Amino acid sequence: MLISWLTASISYSQIASIPVGYNNPTLTKAAQSREMISALVNRPALGNFPSSHWHDSLKNGLLKVAPEGCDKIFTAQSGSEANELAFKAAFMLYRRKQRGEGVEWSDHEVSSCLNNAKPGSPELAILSFANSFHGRGFGSLSATRSKAVHKLDIPSFNWPQAPFPALKYPLDKFAAENAAEEKRCLDKVEELITTWQFPVAGLIVEPIQSEGGDNHASPAFFQGLRDITQKHNVTMIVDEVQTGFGATGKFWGHQHWNLTSPPDIVTFSKKAQTAGYYFGNPRLVPDKAYRQFNTWIGDPARVLMSKAVVEEILARDLVSQTARVGVALYSELERLATKYPQLVRNLRGKGQGTYIAFDTTDPASLVKKMKSLGVNIGTCGTQTVRLRPMLIFEEAHIPFLISALDKALGSA
Amino acid sequence: MLISWLTASISYSQIASIPVGYNNPTLTKAAQSREMISALVNRPALGNFPSSHWHDSLKNGLLKVAPEGCDKIFTAQSGSEANELAFKAAFMLYRRKQRGEGVEWSDHEVSSCLNNAKPGSPELAILSFANSFHGRGFGSLSATRSKAVHKLDIPSFNWPQAPFPALKYPLDKFAAENAAEEKRCLDKVEELITTWQFPVAGLIVEPIQSEGGDNHASPAFFQGLRDITQKHNVTMIVDEVQTGFGATGKFWGHQHWNLTSPPDIVTFSKKAQTAGYYFGNPRLVPDKAYRQFNTWIGDPARVLMSKAVVEEILARDLVSQTARVGVALYSELERLATKYPQLVRNLRGKGQGTYIAFDTTDPASLVKKMKSLGVNIGTCGTQTVRLRPMLIFEEAHIPFLISALDKALGSA
């Protein structure tokens, strides 16, 4: 009983994708609704024949939590697909601006694209960061840089990668060095955008590099990215597949940045239980029908689940709870870091809800010990243990997690 | 009432994706099952934590209808994703053979792939056919060749396309010319495979090019492709996203070919209500964990629906029905072709169930007239009207469809 309660709340959560606990009653109700049965049994091709409750599903679900400045949505079925749709929107916008508003496609463009040749199939790039993870489709995988096991033997596009800041902890001790490191990375981003062999149409970045090692950067760094992307006419895509839906103590990870203008596109999946992208600029809607399209365009059954997730998060104020619980959890972990300075290094995620991680000597063995103690946690990067509890993780769970960690670390 | 009955059975079926009619009782029962509620509420990361009923879902569903020689399955969420996963399997197999069994990755491969550079990110191609449609991801779109609207402004891989046979109708009248045309295309396929700038690791083909204009080829042509792919060590991928699940009068379109050995990979989606690929060769399972992977790896809720679809198709013998009804429908259409020789040209799909199409002068206007008569049918290619009724289309529906078509054609 104890173990199942712990597992349900502090576990790795199906690769950080279970938002509000197993067998959640609000979700169960949604799963049994008439709309759900219809969505399952009569699966629509949403781009052509949306069902009568489709608008309500979005309006009272995903659109209710749309990031500021991004009030439009395109639905998808996975984070990879969401990112690729965002890339396509960025490419179409880039060429639209280049071609000039209202200028028709040339015959040469039309015929060459069917042959995968220029000018119809242009050389355009998406810039991403070293250690990033953006998915496993041929486009999203070209932006992914975290591990060879994802990428080896798969053809990819010749797209640039910039360094992501390698911050030193504790942050207050290394403030000057970290600022210099972030400046170095920003300079490199601008250099790549201005010197790459062909135009960089989009930039994609995670608020916290998750799969790549829970790497953080400061709000100033992200503001710098926003400035550079605006200056050089590059679509800024924020990949919130893992950071979205509350775990950082804000609904969207990028809300921690206080940007002077919103990102162009925000993608989501995982805890949303469905996927897609938000955007604000109406010119990101392609200029012709059927350019951004596919048979299903998401899944209304999963969108109904996301509506229930949103309902549950808002009704129980789970984002505030995660922010609050994260503070308490972080100080307990600081205590362990003092007790085991060799085994709990670079503790990070302060003020980022329960999105907390630390480096350790042998993450795989620590995670295995934790599992034997009834707690399923995950690793990331090469030396990191990451915590990804669900949003229902609360103060009462902390002692169980900490005492298991203490035991596991003590026996290392 | 009449219109809704017709719409339910002979309509365009959500872009050919509704298999057994709206509000089907077997599907409704599945949608209300305990397993479904669990699959919806506790969405698992199937690659790591499959639920206890996952094996049963597959075994008594999708695996029950696995094509001969392809008894293994990898699940996905869309046809595009299924095709891209198949491409990745083909690329990994190609490099595995090239590298030699058990040979470890070199440091150079590992580091270069993170930079999207050779040798870790190799130049390898998938060959597809002119007018084909295989999806809209960056890999699947590189194989798609049907229309500029899908491809324009989106970067693509430098992959080859071969001509697909342009058969002349009626087939018996043009037997010699058609055989020569198929030989020309096969020769071109072999030429491309042996002379392309870099290795062709896979070939993808639809049994009937659907989006591209309902283009057919003979069993001999496909046997030729099988021979060439085997000779040159190319993974043969049959894209059954639209042809699979019975509409051609056999469960899989490629069963019409009587190949001497099964295709390497068969992909599916649409009427399956979920997606994925079948394969036989165990070496198509990547040699390391997490190479073919993502968070969800399909959706168990949709896989439960596919199980109900399979149940319904088998219990009601709907594939045989579709074969039988297709024969009757085809002769009625032959009658219309004789009556309107200018407006019903190149009638095709004989012996292919209800997967029937014809060319006409103004497909968009004909489809519009049909809609005003209560029948929603679709177009494809540039001059074609395609019929894509559900599998529950039966003899009694034929007169309504034919009389509406007669009326629409007569007023053209």
Side-chain angles (χ1 to χ4, degrees), chain B residues 156-178:
Chain B
S156 61
F157 290 107
N158 179 24
W159 292 350
Q161 68 172 326
F164 191 82
L167 300 189
K168 291 189 177 168
Y169 293 86
L171 292 175
D172 46 4
K173 196 174 150 193
F174 295 100
E177 277 169 86
N178 288 338

Side-chain angles (χ1 to χ4, degrees), chain A residues 76-310:
Chain A
Q77 294 194 85
S78 69
S80 291
E81 192 194 358
N83 285 337
E84 295 211 346
L85 289 165
F87 295 175
K88 289 174 79 171
F91 290 136
M92 287 189 267
L93 177 64
Y94 186 91
R95 289 285 294 131
R96 181 177 183 169
K97 287 178 182 169
Q98 202 177 35
R99 190 179 283 124
E101 202 63 44
V103 175
E104 269 308 308
W105 303 339
S106 73
D107 291 347
H108 189 204
E109 283 180 309
V110 166
S111 60
S112 58
C113 82
L114 290 171
N115 208 24
N116 291 1
K118 289 187 276 189
S121 297
E123 282 192 309
L124 293 174
I126 298 291
L127 182 146
S128 63
F129 290 89
N131 299 312
S132 61
F133 186 91
H134 300 294
R136 291 169 173 269
F138 283 82
S140 50
L141 188 62
S142 293
T144 287
R145 312 284 183 165
S146 59
K147 285 176 193 149
V149 71
H150 309 319
K151 289 173 72 77
L152 201 88
D153 296 344
I154 311 300
S156 61
F157 290 107
N158 179 24
W159 291 350
Q161 68 172 325
F164 191 82
L167 301 189
K168 292 189 177 168
Y169 293 86
L171 292 175
D172 46 4
K173 195 173 151 194
F174 295 99
E177 277 169 87
N178 288 339
E181 167 68 355
E182 293 195 336
K183 183 171 184 311
R184 179 186 75 88
C185 295
L186 288 172
D187 288 348
K188 189 70 193 172
V189 167
E190 187 156 24
E191 185 195 319
L192 285 167
I193 289 174
T194 52
T195 64
W196 196 246
Q197 296 101 297
F198 44 88
V200 174
L203 172 152
I204 186 164
V205 66
E206 297 155 277
I208 301 167
Q209 288 192 327
S210 306
E211 161 74 7
D214 264 35
N215 308 315
H216 296 247
S218 75
F221 174 74
F222 292 104
Q223 180 63 54
L225 290 182
R226 174 75 291 199
D227 294 341
I228 292 169
T229 51
Q230 286 194 311
K231 180 174 166 196
H232 295 288
N233 200 18
V234 170
T235 297
M236 182 174 177
I237 303 164
V238 179
D239 178 339
E240 295 251 22
V241 166
Q242 193 155 163
T243 51
F245 272 67
T248 72
K250 293 193 186 282
F251 202 95
W252 299 105
H254 75 271
Q255 291 173 324
H256 289 277
W257 308 338
N258 294 309
L259 291 184
T260 51
S261 69
D264 297 297
I265 297 182
V266 175
T267 63
F268 62 93
S269 183
K270 288 209 186 245
K271 285 192 176 59
Q273 293 289 290
T274 183
Y277 68 92
Y278 294 100
F279 64 105
N281 182 356
R283 293 177 79 207
L284 280 166
V285 178
D287 52 355
K288 286 193 205 306
Y290 292 103
R291 297 195 75 186
Q292 193 78 306
F293 190 81
N294 57 66
T295 296
W296 284 323
I297 310 192
D299 184 338
R302 288 298 172 190
V303 170
L304 282 167
M305 293 311 297
S306 75
K307 180 167 164 263
V309 170
V310 165

